[in-house]
Amino acid sequence: MAMTKRRGRYELYYWPFIQGRGEFVRLVLEDSGAEYVDVARLPEDQGGGLGPIVEIMQDHLRHHPAPFAPPILKAGDLVLAQTAVICRFIAEETGLAPATAADRLRADQLMLTVADAVVETHDVHHPISGGLYYEDQKDEAARRAPTFISERLPKYLGYFESVISANSAGKRRCLLGSDATYVDLAVFQLAKGIEYAFPNSFARVAAGTPRLSELVARVDERTRLREYLESDRRIPFNEWGIFRHYPELDGPKTP
Ligand SMILES: N[C@@H](CCC(=O)N[C@@H](CS)C(=O)NCC(=O)O)C(=O)O
């Protein structure tokens, strides 16, 4: 695995009240022990708050191409957006990326599949528009939830189960190659988020995805990550983020 420890610290720019997509980045930063500042979570008089996020997105002259949306990462002069790109970059710098170029492309493939799953999970509670409150699109959400739960959720989790099961190089313990990579952290976060949002439906599907459950448990025990998850740096799941628990959208509890 390539290991280039970076000197200097990373700056993460992400909405300070939610895990959201920023959490995929935070997990890579925390697990690798990288030095970073979660800029928007600093007090405003120390350069924090939402202002710096907006500023960086609007400054097309200094940042080319300027980011369209957070999460955003600053590493020295480099400004990057798109969760999958940021996670890959940090992972390559800190030793959490696969060793070969081909496997790094395969990691992209898996990360973008996670990103697709994130969009679909979000769209269950916001099927009409991200600009409207859930309360303004509850009827449409109630129509969208059943097929997500019965078709998409098992398809995504089943897919990751099959990828782990086929990875003989990793003794069927991780997604890619012989060791855990940042992609395992992303699938961990996806599973945790779906479990929070749809506990009944998740439990039903997870009963048939034992390798995925083992992977999630193993990631959960990684030393730095465990320390992070227990710290107040980990923002609890809530009903402002991507993974929201609205009981009326979940399926019934398995008897
Ligand atoms: N594909 C992008 C999506 C970024 C994104 O949708 N960010 C959300 C927060 S999680 C946002 O603030 N979007 C504002 C917008 O789309 O206008 C990624 O994976 O990073």
Side-chain angles (χ1 to χ4, degrees):
M1 214 165 280
M3 178 77 181
T4 331
K5 205 69 181 157
R6 86 169 277 109
R7 291 181 298 267
R9 60 184 189 174
Y10 299 99
E11 289 178 14
L12 170 65
Y13 294 75
Y14 192 69
W15 309 123
F17 327 105
I18 59 171
Q19 291 186 19
R21 288 179 176 84
E23 197 64 13
F24 293 93
V25 180
R26 292 190 187 109
L27 292 188
V28 185
L29 290 165
E30 291 282 350
D31 190 82
S32 64
E35 201 188 323
Y36 78 101
V37 187
D38 204 337
V39 176
R41 293 180 75 188
L42 292 174
E44 283 186 16
D45 61 8
Q46 288 173 38
L50 303 183
I53 303 180
V54 176
E55 226 166 80
I56 213 167
M57 288 193 289
Q58 289 180 344
D59 198 344
H60 284 265
L61 291 180
R62 271 183 57 212
H63 310 300
H64 180 70
F68 177 77
I72 299 161
L73 187 85
K74 219 168 154 194
D77 289 339
L78 187 63
V79 170
L80 289 174
Q82 292 289 352
T83 310
V85 174
I86 295 171
C87 289
R88 174 185 176 149
F89 170 73
I90 301 165
E92 286 184 356
E93 289 211 330
T94 59
L96 276 172
T100 67
D103 272 352
R104 287 196 289 274
L105 286 169
R106 294 182 181 114
D108 289 344
Q109 174 190 326
L110 291 169
M111 280 302 285
L112 292 171
T113 307
V114 170
D116 290 344
V118 166
V119 170
E120 284 190 43
T121 309
H122 168 271
D123 287 356
V124 174
H125 54 75
H126 274 74
I128 301 297
S129 166
L132 294 173
Y133 291 112
Y134 166 62
E135 286 69 24
D136 297 326
Q137 44 195 316
K138 276 180 95 164
D139 292 347
E140 292 84 356
R143 286 193 67 197
R144 179 134 186 175
T147 50
F148 176 77
I149 284 164
S150 63
E151 294 169 20
R152 304 303 288 174
L153 197 158
K155 187 165 181 179
Y156 276 116
L157 299 186
Y159 169 72
F160 291 118
E161 173 77 9
S162 300
V163 173
I164 302 164
S165 301
N167 183 18
S168 53
K171 300 193 173 65
R172 296 169 178 79
R173 292 162 61 89
C174 56
L175 285 149
L176 211 52
S178 52
D179 296 305
T181 66
Y182 72 104
V183 180
D184 296 275
L185 307 185
V187 169
F188 162 84
Q189 175 65 10
L190 177 69
K192 285 287 178 194
I194 293 177
E195 183 177 27
Y196 170 79
F198 304 98
N200 297 342
S201 307
F202 179 84
R204 205 168 47 252
V205 176
T209 58
R211 300 226 185 252
L212 176 61
S213 301
E214 282 164 27
L215 179 145
V216 169
R218 258 193 308 278
V219 170
D220 206 16
E221 284 166 10
R222 288 169 72 89
T223 311
R224 288 199 198 99
L225 213 65
R226 180 98 303 274
E227 193 265 315
Y228 165 68
L229 295 171
E230 285 170 4
S231 77
D232 57 12
R233 296 193 303 286
R234 170 83 161 179
I235 299 167
F237 284 113
N238 58 44
E239 279 53 63
W240 300 288
I242 291 166
F243 303 109
R244 303 186 187 192
H245 179 51
Y246 295 123
E248 63 274 23
L249 299 183
D250 195 4
K253 207 178 171 83
T254 309

